[in-house]
Amino acid sequence: MKNVINFLFFVILGLLILLSFWKNIVPWDVDFDEVCGQEYTVAFTDFNCPLGTNEFDQDFALILSEAISYNISISIIGCLLFMIFGILFGLILGLVNDLPKNRKNIIKKPQYILKFLISIITEISNSLPFLIILIISVMYVNYYVDAQNNAIKMQLIITIIALFNTHKLSMPLSDKIKALKKEEFILAAKASGLTMPQLIFKHILYYESKSLIIINMINFFLFSVMMEIFLTVYQLGSLPGQISLGNLIFSSKVTLPSLLLGGITNSQLIYMTLLPFILIFLLCLTIRWIGQRVLFVMENS
């Protein structure tokens, strides 16, 4: 049964990758109309537009490809910042000793000052409610970023959210390091001749914390995708002209009530209304499946 499930996820992953690169395969761009010669071409009836066309005779597969690429790109950047700062803060909080009572030692050793500052940043980010951070981020970006840089507004919001969520990785990582300290693992590793880079990258980050890092990265990646959708649906995220998963869901939100009341009979419009929801559901499941497979391979290698 597990092999069947893995095969199905592998097929879904292949289809999602093909859809993501569809914009690099077709010779036209997303604004090109008259792809199939008629409006609302039904999906799987024309080779040029396998997912059909919209009311402007534009390739719906190309629209989905642009939306997936946009959401993945902004989420990856935010995820990398979350990982880098989360790991860096966690290592400093865990490896640097507690502040000494003698203040002269604090001045002589700047790592104590660095740990003190990171502790304050971590405590503030952990104490502030996320809703407050989200409101301030959206208000700040929408007020200070001018109209000429509208394309980077959503990326700035995701970046701010990533930096204020680093405690979700740094705090568990520092707790893991402190537990290793109590077990005298770090002292034993240093006594065996391991250098600090070997200790950090090989033993702490890989052997002891790889599952913690991968799971938090996947969670934040999916969280970023969902945040773009949530903010855009309420017209606080990506602009209407930006092709994104949020704008696709917003379009589906407009037509969904009519669909539920039976007011839509066009099969392609029904398909275009429901597909973004199905696509996001499959995307989330597949990414979590990839994370589980990566952990399985790493733990058994």
Side-chain angles (χ1 to χ4, degrees):
M1 187 64 182
K2 288 184 178 180
N3 292 333
V4 175
I5 294 175
N6 288 332
F7 176 75
L8 290 176
F9 273 115
F10 184 78
V11 172
I12 294 172
L13 175 62
L15 293 174
L16 289 175
I17 292 174
L18 177 62
L19 183 59
S20 300
F21 285 95
W22 186 251
K23 65 177 185 176
N24 303 111
I25 299 174
V26 295
W28 49 79
D29 58 31
V30 73
D31 297 322
F32 188 84
D33 55 6
E34 298 182 359
V35 176
C36 293
Q38 61 178 340
E39 300 173 0
Y40 291 120
T41 302
V42 180
F44 312 114
T45 60
D46 193 299
F47 181 78
N48 290 329
C49 41
L51 298 184
T53 60
N54 59 10
E55 66 272 24
F56 303 110
D57 194 21
Q58 295 171 327
D59 187 358
F60 189 57
L62 183 56
I63 294 173
L64 291 176
S65 178
E66 289 281 352
I68 293 174
S69 300
Y70 173 76
N71 278 74
I72 288 179
S73 64
I74 64 173
S75 298
I76 285 178
I77 294 173
C79 191
L80 289 175
L81 290 172
F82 169 79
M83 180 192 68
I84 292 170
F85 283 97
I87 291 176
L88 182 62
F89 287 2
L91 290 173
I92 293 173
L93 292 174
L95 291 175
V96 178
N97 295 326
D98 294 332
L99 299 177
K101 295 180 180 180
N102 190 350
R103 294 184 179 180
K104 292 182 179 179
N105 293 331
I106 298 177
I107 299 174
K108 292 179 181 179
K109 295 183 178 181
Q111 65 264 30
Y112 292 132
I113 300 177
L114 183 61
K115 181 176 181 176
F116 175 72
L117 294 176
I118 291 176
S119 299
I120 294 177
I121 294 172
T122 303
E123 188 65 29
I124 292 174
S125 62
N126 188 35
S127 301
L128 285 175
F130 173 73
L131 184 60
I132 299 297
I133 298 172
L134 180 61
I135 293 173
I136 294 175
S137 301
V138 172
M139 291 178 59
Y140 177 83
V141 171
N142 282 280
Y143 182 79
Y144 284 101
V145 177
D146 56 26
Q148 296 178 351
N149 296 318
N150 279 329
I152 66 171
K153 279 186 176 181
M154 195 63 227
Q155 184 64 77
L156 287 175
I157 294 173
I158 296 296
T159 299
I160 295 171
I161 292 174
L163 296 177
F164 275 94
N165 277 271
T166 52
H167 64 275
K168 293 183 179 179
L169 178 57
S170 63
M171 294 180 70
L173 180 58
S174 65
D175 291 339
K176 176 78 72 173
I177 295 172
K178 290 174 182 177
L180 293 175
K181 276 185 172 182
K182 290 182 179 179
E183 297 171 1
E184 298 185 351
F185 170 81
I186 295 178
L187 289 176
K190 289 181 178 179
S192 64
L194 285 177
T195 62
M196 186 57 71
Q198 289 176 327
L199 175 63
I200 291 174
F201 291 103
K202 186 176 181 180
H203 289 277
I204 295 177
L205 296 182
Y206 183 78
Y207 287 122
E208 300 293 335
S209 306
K210 58 179 179 290
S211 60
L212 173 68
I213 295 172
I214 292 174
I215 290 172
N216 277 279
M217 284 179 60
I218 292 174
N219 288 339
F220 186 80
F221 179 86
L222 295 176
F223 177 72
S224 299
V225 174
M226 293 302 124
M227 283 308 306
E228 189 279 330
I229 295 171
F230 172 78
L231 292 174
T232 303
V233 166
Y234 288 96
Q235 299 181 317
L236 296 171
S238 302
L239 296 176
Q242 175 65 55
I243 299 176
S244 68
L245 292 177
N247 276 316
L248 289 179
I249 294 296
F250 180 77
S251 300
S252 297
K253 171 190 168 186
V254 175
T255 56
L256 193 59
S258 298
L259 174 61
L260 295 176
L261 294 174
I264 297 177
T265 58
N266 187 302
S267 59
Q268 178 62 13
L269 183 56
I270 294 173
Y271 170 80
M272 290 169 54
T273 301
L274 297 177
L275 186 59
F277 295 99
I278 299 172
L279 181 64
I280 293 168
F281 177 74
L282 293 176
L283 182 65
C284 293
L285 286 181
T286 306
I287 290 175
R288 289 202 177 278
W289 174 77
I290 293 173
Q292 291 176 355
R293 299 309 301 171
V294 169
L295 281 175
F296 178 80
V297 171
M298 293 175 69
E299 290 174 354
N300 291 274
S301 61

